[in-house]
Amino acid sequence: IEFSHLCFNTSHLWSLQNARDMQEDETSSLDSFLTSLSKVNSSRQRASALFHWLINPVSSENFFRDTWEKKPLLVRRQKPDYYHGLFSTTEFDRILRTDNVQFGVNLDVTSYSNGKRKTHNPPGRALSCSVWKYYESGCSLRLLNPQAFSSTVWNVLSILQEMFGSMVGANIYLTPAGTQGFAPHYDDIEAFVVQLEGKKHWRVYSPRGTGVDWLWLSCISANFSQSVIGKPIMEVVLEAGDLLYFPRGFIHQGDCLPDAHSLHITISSYQRNSWGDLLMKMVPAALEMAMEEDVEFRKGLPLDYLSYMGVQNSEKNDPRRVEFQKRVDSLMKKLAAYAPVDAAVDQKAREFLHDCLPPVLTPDEKTTSVFGAPARWEDGEVVDVEAQIRAQTRIRFIRGGIARLCSNGEDVLLCHTIENSRVYHKEEPKSLEIKSEYTDAVEFLIHSYPKFVTVASLPCDTAEDKVLLAEMLYEQGLIHTSEPLQPK
């Protein structure tokens, strides 16, 4: 067993180092890098390696310590093909010709001229002829959910979401030379601007507010006029292969120089993923519990409180105001004791799992899961419909972040992403109800990842329950085996 475990880890480390080596190889394509990543045993390690590729040569440790949520970052590479294969104008054209792209849903046509931002979306399908006419007239094109149309973008985003523990989305922007498509504004996401073709002139400005106030900007801003945003703190021209990162709240604008068009993808994450967003889940539940259990929260307000509290009385020098505020402060301190922290985190987790893209399975994950099961129609009959899971079959969850145990107050649910859609929230949240006698075994499987464990080692009451649980998770596509199952 110890020798087998050593070989497992050595193979894993070799695959991970091989993937990292490919990052430094200028001739290596993204497709080759993703193929190399698919051989890395742990999905968490894949996410880490892919993020390192995204921001290379900056280390992830330095980035999250010095830059994340703090300040913009520019990565110049002088390697125009560094991101080659992620997306292209040619693929943009193919999507317009072959897919059902809808104006306003999947594609925006925009312009910004003389200080005015306009959207030019007609109703209906965005056919290539009309879209390219808009582009020729100087309009920018924004593809809103490229992961629904590009398998490579889908793969990259689905891997990265395990790095952030938050939805990772993207928009594609194609801008004609000498034009600008959007007014200065700030966003509510952490933005990684990846320059794919041509070049673009970017200006980034300090957030509105002082100190870290900008961190609490939880929505996209209105458009700003040039006169109110001041001087940029960063002004750069991104060329193909370069990266620009800026945190949420930083005002920015990009325009094309006269000599080149621009194609870039903005990869984004951490939308509505702040402490404040967690507290919005937690505080109402805490207050409900406090009112049930503590009489102090149920006592009536003073009869005359409206005569000295409220905005119209805020300038009054009234001692009753001081006592009222003290009472509120005391109740707020007591409220913390009722905060259902884990339950609120589970609510956030369920939302995250619903937001997630489904995984792009590796060849090995397909052949060792239900998606590669041998059941088929052959010579006029169904064959190999039942694969055999035995006590010594070694299993694990198909991805580290594929599923999570949560409670809805009455039942224990295994929420998961395997059946999610590439289109945001097209499907309802997916979950399985887990019997109470199976919860320890599911938790054991979750915490065992990335190691494979035998079905016999699952902490269930009976050997039959162990096999039944494994079969259920296998048939739902949530686990896979260390070797392809053989038919009975």
Side-chain angles (χ1 to χ4, degrees), residues 107-182:
L107 184 79
D108 283 332
V109 179
T110 69
S111 64
Y112 177 73
S113 180
N114 299 319
K116 293 188 180 294
R117 152 85 154 82
K118 294 182 180 179
T119 301
H120 306 273
N121 295 337
R125 182 175 172 182
L127 294 168
S128 60
C129 180
S130 58
V131 171
W132 292 126
K133 281 183 180 178
Y134 278 117
Y135 179 81
E136 281 290 290
S137 69
C139 291
S140 288
L141 309 177
R142 174 171 64 179
L143 188 61
L144 294 169
N145 52 340
Q147 61 272 21
F149 306 102
S150 166
S151 58
T152 301
V153 174
W154 168 29
N155 195 7
V156 167
L157 300 187
S158 69
I159 294 172
L160 286 176
Q161 66 195 7
E162 198 161 342
M163 176 76 185
F164 290 101
S166 176
M167 174 190 168
V168 178
N171 289 332
I172 301 281
Y173 298 84
L174 179 61
T175 308
T179 69
Q180 182 168 339
F182 294 87

Side-chain angles (χ1 to χ4, degrees), residues 186 205-210 213-214 217 221 224 228-230 249-251:
Y186 63 74
Y205 304 80
S206 294
R208 310 286 285 179
T210 59
D213 291 352
W214 55 271
L217 300 173
S221 75
F224 291 105
V228 302
I229 56 178
F250 276 75
I251 300 168

Side-chain angles (χ1 to χ4, degrees), residues 278-290:
L278 178 64
L279 288 171
M280 288 177 70
K281 308 288 185 189
M282 191 185 307
V283 172
L287 188 56
E288 184 176 343
M289 292 173 61

Side-chain angles (χ1 to χ4, degrees), residues 195-261:
Q195 192 69 27
L196 302 172
E197 294 176 9
K199 54 188 176 181
K200 199 164 198 177
H201 171 229
W202 284 92
R203 285 166 285 178
V204 182
Y205 304 80
S206 294
R208 310 286 285 179
T210 59
V212 294
D213 291 352
W214 55 271
L215 272 177
W216 303 105
L217 300 173
S218 58
C219 60
I220 298 172
S221 75
N223 295 328
F224 291 105
S225 66
Q226 300 289 344
S227 60
V228 302
I229 56 178
K231 294 182 178 180
I233 59 172
M234 178 183 283
E235 184 167 7
V236 298
V237 174
L238 284 191
E239 299 188 4
D242 293 343
L243 169 79
L244 174 63
Y245 160 81
F246 45 82
R248 60 193 184 276
F250 276 75
I251 300 168
H252 54 275
Q253 61 177 321
D255 61 279
C256 267
L257 300 176
D259 60 338
H261 79 284

Side-chain angles (χ1 to χ4, degrees), residues 367-368 393-394 452 480-486:
T367 58
T368 57
T393 302
R394 297 170 67 233
F452 285 92
H480 69 134
T481 57
S482 59
E483 301 291 338
L485 290 181
Q486 299 301 315

